[in-house]
Amino acid sequence: KIFIIFICISFFSCKSVPVMEGLLECDTEKYKIPAEENIQLFNAAKCGDISSVKNALINAFKEYGMPESILSDNGKPWGNSTKGSYTTLEVWLMEQGILPIHCSIKHPQTQGKCENFNKVLKNELLKYENYYTPEETQKGFDRWRNQYNTVRPHEALDMKTPSKCYEKSPRKYCEKIEEYNYPENAQLLKVDSKGYIRINKKPYFFSEGFRQKYVALIENPENNNQLNIQFREFIIAKFDVKLNKITKKFARRINKTN
């Protein structure tokens, strides 16, 4: 299973690039060849080490540019399926202008491209070869990756190879996170050390992932009974004025279809 996931991370080529059981979404006319940094992502993910995952992502972003969004499962450190709130990694991704998207729980069809790739890998390589050491296995994977990405034509690419279609993302990684300017009517709220925000002097649990960061409370032009909770260019939750509760904790980019 480990090697299957490793290959899915390292060698998949389609309209998106899988990264550690997730997908880096890119322009639909461009196809990604995976980075060697994805190996680091896999190793970091095995123990759920956020700092290691961030470092691996940064290395990949510096080399290949940043995606508009990342589709992943709900496991740590990408998501938090138990509390229904945001993780530290998700907050960091949004600070980079990357929208975190999660597949439905127990719904592998959301990442069908990854699942299909596992089948391709098994049928084209693992079914016919026996490997006994990681080094031997890696050599086989390297040979197969070259064949898959640079030699074999793909029907989905009009019989081109992925290497002929690949382009780096034009979005460059920046070490310094620029200050975000919210609308003048926004009310800035600081998330405390326990993940609470105060609305009309009343505390509401929001998310530990946002500790010591500011979010904005903004009128919802589509619903007078709701206020938008915004973080940079993302709406991350709603506040129901009538029920006095925070609802709909999912992120979406403002003024874009996601």
Side-chain angles (χ1 to χ4, degrees):
K1 182 177 180 182
I2 289 178
F3 288 121
I4 296 297
I5 296 175
F6 169 82
I7 277 294
C8 188
I9 294 165
S10 300
F11 308 132
F12 191 86
S13 59
C14 65
K15 294 185 180 180
S16 305
V17 173
V19 170
M20 213 193 26
E21 299 184 25
L23 297 174
L24 296 183
E25 294 194 347
C26 60
D27 191 295
T28 56
E29 297 303 318
K30 298 170 185 174
Y31 298 77
K32 293 290 188 180
I33 294 176
E36 293 300 326
E37 282 76 4
N38 293 336
I39 300 172
Q40 301 174 35
L41 288 173
F42 168 72
N43 291 330
K46 289 190 293 184
C47 60
D49 186 336
I50 293 178
S51 61
S52 297
V53 172
K54 281 178 60 177
N55 289 336
L57 282 170
I58 289 171
N59 289 337
F61 293 163
K62 286 180 177 179
E63 180 69 20
Y64 297 95
M66 296 197 301
E68 292 287 336
S69 57
I70 291 181
L71 170 63
S72 70
D73 63 14
N74 297 278
K76 293 182 179 179
W78 302 94
N80 188 339
S81 59
T82 57
K83 294 184 178 181
S85 59
Y86 294 95
T87 66
T88 303
L89 183 62
E90 288 179 286
V91 175
W92 177 77
L93 287 172
M94 285 189 279
E95 287 180 323
Q96 306 301 320
I98 300 171
L99 174 67
I101 306 173
H102 295 285
C103 62
S104 302
I105 297 176
K106 296 183 179 180
H107 192 269
Q109 295 90 334
T110 306
Q111 300 190 71
K113 293 175 182 178
C114 286
E115 301 297 334
N116 182 69
F117 183 78
N118 288 339
K119 179 181 177 181
V120 172
L121 174 65
K122 291 177 183 177
N123 290 339
E124 294 189 3
L125 180 67
L126 300 181
K127 182 185 289 187
Y128 305 104
E129 301 286 347
N130 293 317
Y131 298 109
Y132 300 98
T133 66
E135 293 76 17
E136 185 180 338
T137 306
Q138 185 60 59
K139 289 180 180 179
F141 284 171
D142 289 344
R143 290 193 299 270
W144 184 83
R145 176 177 60 177
N146 180 67
Q147 171 75 18
Y148 187 88
N149 278 334
T150 66
V151 179
R152 178 163 73 83
H154 290 241
E155 186 177 358
L157 304 180
D158 295 327
M159 304 311 293
K160 299 176 183 177
T161 62
S163 61
K164 296 293 185 182
C165 302
Y166 169 72
E167 289 185 22
K168 292 183 179 181
S169 169
R171 301 186 66 227
K172 303 297 184 181
Y173 174 74
C174 183
E175 295 277 357
K176 182 180 178 181
I177 298 174
E178 299 292 335
E179 183 178 350
Y180 187 82
N181 295 319
Y182 291 98
E184 292 184 358
N185 63 337
Q187 178 186 354
L188 293 184
L189 306 173
K190 186 175 183 179
V191 183
D192 69 19
S193 60
K194 295 182 178 180
Y196 283 81
I197 57 175
R198 288 185 173 272
I199 301 176
N200 296 328
K201 298 183 179 181
K202 183 178 179 180
Y204 296 88
F205 178 75
F206 183 63
S207 172
E208 293 181 353
F210 279 95
R211 285 178 293 191
Q212 306 304 319
K213 296 188 181 295
Y214 285 92
V215 297
L217 197 64
I218 302 176
E219 293 182 358
N220 184 350
E222 300 175 356
N223 189 336
N224 293 330
N225 295 321
Q226 286 185 340
L227 298 174
N228 290 331
I229 299 178
Q230 182 176 330
F231 181 65
R232 303 181 71 85
E233 66 261 46
F234 304 100
I235 294 176
I236 53 177
K238 306 282 187 180
F239 180 78
D240 193 301
V241 176
K242 286 188 174 181
L243 299 178
N244 283 321
K245 63 183 296 187
I246 295 174
T247 62
K248 298 182 178 180
K249 288 184 182 178
F250 66 90
R252 67 179 180 86
R253 195 185 303 274
I254 298 172
N255 297 329
K256 283 193 176 184
T257 302
N258 294 293

